[in-house]
Coordinates of all heavy atoms in Angstrom, one line a residue:
K20 N 100.1 66.8 88.1 CA 99.4 66.5 86.8 C 99.8 65.1 86.4 O 99.0 64.3 85.8 CB 99.8 67.5 85.8 CG 99.1 68.8 86.0 CD 99.5 69.8 84.9 CE 98.9 71.2 85.2 NZ 99.3 72.2 84.2
D21 N 101.1 64.7 86.6 CA 101.5 63.4 86.1 C 102.6 62.7 87.0 O 103.1 61.7 86.7 CB 102.0 63.4 84.7 CG 103.2 64.4 84.5 OD1 103.6 65.0 85.5 OD2 103.8 64.4 83.4
R22 N 102.9 63.4 88.1 CA 104.0 62.9 89.0 C 103.5 63.2 90.5 O 102.5 63.8 90.7 CB 105.3 63.5 88.8 CG 105.9 63.2 87.5 CD 107.3 63.8 87.4 NE 107.9 63.6 86.1 CZ 108.2 64.5 85.3 NH1 108.0 65.8 85.5 NH2 108.8 64.2 84.1
S23 N 104.4 62.8 91.4 CA 104.2 63.1 92.8 C 105.6 63.1 93.5 O 106.6 62.6 92.9 CB 103.3 62.2 93.5 OG 103.7 60.8 93.5
V24 N 105.7 63.7 94.7 CA 106.9 63.7 95.4 C 106.6 63.2 96.9 O 106.7 64.0 97.8 CB 107.6 65.0 95.4 CG1 108.3 65.3 94.0 CG2 106.7 66.2 95.7
P25 N 106.2 62.0 97.1 CA 105.9 61.5 98.4 C 107.1 61.4 99.3 O 108.3 61.3 98.9 CB 105.3 60.1 98.2 CG 106.0 59.7 96.9 CD 106.1 60.9 96.1
T26 N 106.8 61.4 100.6 CA 107.9 61.2 101.6 C 108.1 59.7 101.8 O 107.2 59.0 102.0 CB 107.5 61.8 103.0 OG1 107.3 63.2 102.8 CG2 108.4 61.5 104.1
A27 N 109.4 59.3 101.6 CA 109.7 57.9 101.7 C 110.2 57.6 103.1 O 110.0 56.4 103.6 CB 110.8 57.5 100.7
A28 N 110.7 58.6 103.8 CA 111.2 58.4 105.2 C 111.2 59.7 105.9 O 111.5 60.7 105.3 CB 112.6 57.8 105.2
I29 N 110.9 59.7 107.2 CA 111.0 60.9 108.0 C 111.3 60.5 109.4 O 110.9 59.5 109.9 CB 109.7 61.7 107.9 CG1 109.9 63.1 108.5 CG2 108.5 61.0 108.5 CD1 108.7 64.1 108.2
E30 N 112.2 61.3 110.0 CA 112.5 61.2 111.4 C 112.4 62.5 112.1 O 113.0 63.5 111.6 CB 114.0 60.6 111.6 CG 114.4 60.4 113.0 CD 115.7 59.8 113.1 OE1 116.2 59.0 112.2 OE2 116.4 60.1 114.1
V31 N 111.7 62.6 113.2 CA 111.5 63.9 113.8 C 111.8 63.8 115.3 O 111.6 62.8 116.0 CB 110.0 64.3 113.7 CG1 109.7 65.6 114.4 CG2 109.5 64.3 112.3
R32 N 112.4 64.9 115.8 CA 112.7 65.1 117.2 C 111.9 66.3 117.7 O 112.1 67.4 117.1 CB 114.2 65.3 117.4 CG 114.5 65.5 118.9 CD 116.0 65.7 119.1 NE 116.2 66.1 120.5 CZ 116.5 65.2 121.4 NH1 116.6 64.0 121.2 NH2 116.7 65.7 122.7
F33 N 111.1 66.1 118.6 CA 110.3 67.2 119.2 C 111.0 67.7 120.4 O 111.2 67.0 121.4 CB 108.9 66.7 119.6 CG 108.1 66.1 118.4 CD1 108.1 64.7 118.2 CD2 107.6 66.9 117.5 CE1 107.4 64.2 117.1 CE2 106.9 66.4 116.4 CZ 106.8 65.1 116.2
D34 N 111.4 69.0 120.4 CA 112.2 69.6 121.4 C 111.4 70.3 122.5 O 111.8 70.4 123.6 CB 113.3 70.5 120.8 CG 114.3 69.7 120.0 OD1 114.8 68.7 120.4 OD2 114.5 70.1 118.8
A35 N 110.4 71.0 122.1 CA 109.6 71.8 123.0 C 108.2 72.0 122.4 O 108.0 72.0 121.2 CB 110.2 73.2 123.2
P36 N 107.1 72.1 123.2 CA 105.8 72.3 122.7 C 105.6 73.7 122.1 O 106.2 74.6 122.4 CB 104.9 72.1 123.9 CG 105.8 72.5 125.1 CD 107.2 72.1 124.7
S37 N 104.7 73.7 121.1 CA 104.2 75.0 120.5 C 102.8 75.2 121.0 O 102.0 74.2 121.1 CB 104.3 74.9 119.0 OG 105.6 74.8 118.6
R38 N 102.4 76.4 121.2 CA 101.1 76.7 121.7 C 100.3 77.6 120.8 O 100.9 78.4 119.9 CB 101.2 77.4 123.1 CG 101.9 76.5 124.1 CD 101.9 77.1 125.5 NE 102.7 76.2 126.4 CZ 102.3 75.1 126.9 NH1 101.2 74.5 126.5 NH2 103.1 74.4 127.7
H39 N 99.0 77.6 120.9 CA 98.1 78.5 120.1 C 98.6 79.9 120.2 O 98.8 80.4 121.2 CB 96.7 78.3 120.7 CG 95.7 78.9 119.8 ND1 94.4 79.1 120.3 CD2 95.7 79.4 118.6 CE1 93.7 79.6 119.3 NE2 94.4 79.9 118.3
G40 N 98.8 80.5 119.0 CA 99.3 81.9 118.9 C 100.8 82.0 118.7 O 101.2 83.1 118.3
D41 N 101.6 81.0 118.9 CA 103.0 81.1 118.6 C 103.2 81.3 117.1 O 102.5 80.9 116.3 CB 103.7 79.8 119.0 CG 103.9 79.6 120.5 OD1 103.6 80.5 121.2 OD2 104.3 78.5 120.9
L42 N 104.3 82.1 116.8 CA 104.7 82.3 115.4 C 106.0 81.4 115.3 O 107.0 81.7 115.8 CB 105.0 83.7 115.1 CG 105.5 84.0 113.7 CD1 104.5 83.5 112.7 CD2 105.9 85.4 113.5
L43 N 105.9 80.4 114.4 CA 107.0 79.5 114.1 C 107.6 79.9 112.8 O 107.0 80.5 112.0 CB 106.5 78.1 114.0 CG 105.7 77.4 115.1 CD1 105.3 76.0 114.8 CD2 106.6 77.5 116.4
H44 N 108.9 79.7 112.7 CA 109.6 79.8 111.5 C 110.1 78.4 111.1 O 110.9 77.8 111.8 CB 110.8 80.8 111.6 CG 110.3 82.2 111.7 ND1 110.2 82.9 112.9 CD2 110.0 83.1 110.7 CE1 109.7 84.1 112.6 NE2 109.6 84.2 111.3
L45 N 109.6 77.9 110.0 CA 110.0 76.6 109.4 C 111.1 76.9 108.4 O 110.9 77.5 107.4 CB 108.8 75.9 108.8 CG 107.9 75.2 109.7 CD1 106.9 76.2 110.4 CD2 107.1 74.1 109.0
D46 N 112.3 76.3 108.7 CA 113.5 76.5 107.9 C 113.7 75.1 107.2 O 113.8 74.1 107.9 CB 114.7 76.9 108.7 CG 114.6 78.3 109.2 OD1 113.8 79.1 108.7 OD2 115.3 78.6 110.2
L47 N 113.8 75.1 105.9 CA 114.1 73.9 105.1 C 115.5 74.0 104.5 O 115.9 75.1 104.0 CB 113.1 73.7 104.0 CG 111.7 73.6 104.4 CD1 110.8 73.4 103.1 CD2 111.4 72.5 105.4
T48 N 116.3 73.0 104.6 CA 117.6 72.9 104.1 C 117.8 71.6 103.2 O 117.5 70.5 103.7 CB 118.7 72.9 105.2 OG1 118.5 74.0 106.0 CG2 120.1 72.9 104.6
L49 N 118.1 71.8 102.0 CA 118.3 70.7 101.1 C 119.7 70.1 101.5 O 120.6 70.8 101.6 CB 118.3 71.1 99.6 CG 117.0 71.7 99.2 CD1 117.2 72.6 97.9 CD2 116.0 70.7 98.9
M50 N 119.7 68.8 101.6 CA 121.0 68.1 102.0 C 121.7 67.4 100.9 O 122.9 67.4 100.8 CB 120.7 67.1 103.1 CG 120.0 67.8 104.3 SD 121.0 69.2 105.0 CE 122.4 68.3 105.6

């Protein structure tokens, strides 16, 4: 409504491919 929380920086490491039908669990940890 009056603010935002954009991403200022991101670094990603891709370890293995995901395929159609996979069930992923996304875990977020505040640092």
Side-chain angles (χ1 to χ4, degrees):
K20 288 179 182 175
D21 61 356
R22 294 186 181 115
S23 60
V24 287
T26 296
I29 190 166
E30 182 176 329
V31 181
R32 178 181 174 92
F33 301 101
D34 296 310
S37 296
R38 300 186 186 286
H39 190 190
D41 285 351
L42 179 60
L43 304 178
H44 286 95
L45 280 78
D46 293 338
L47 302 182
T48 304
L49 298 162
M50 301 305 292

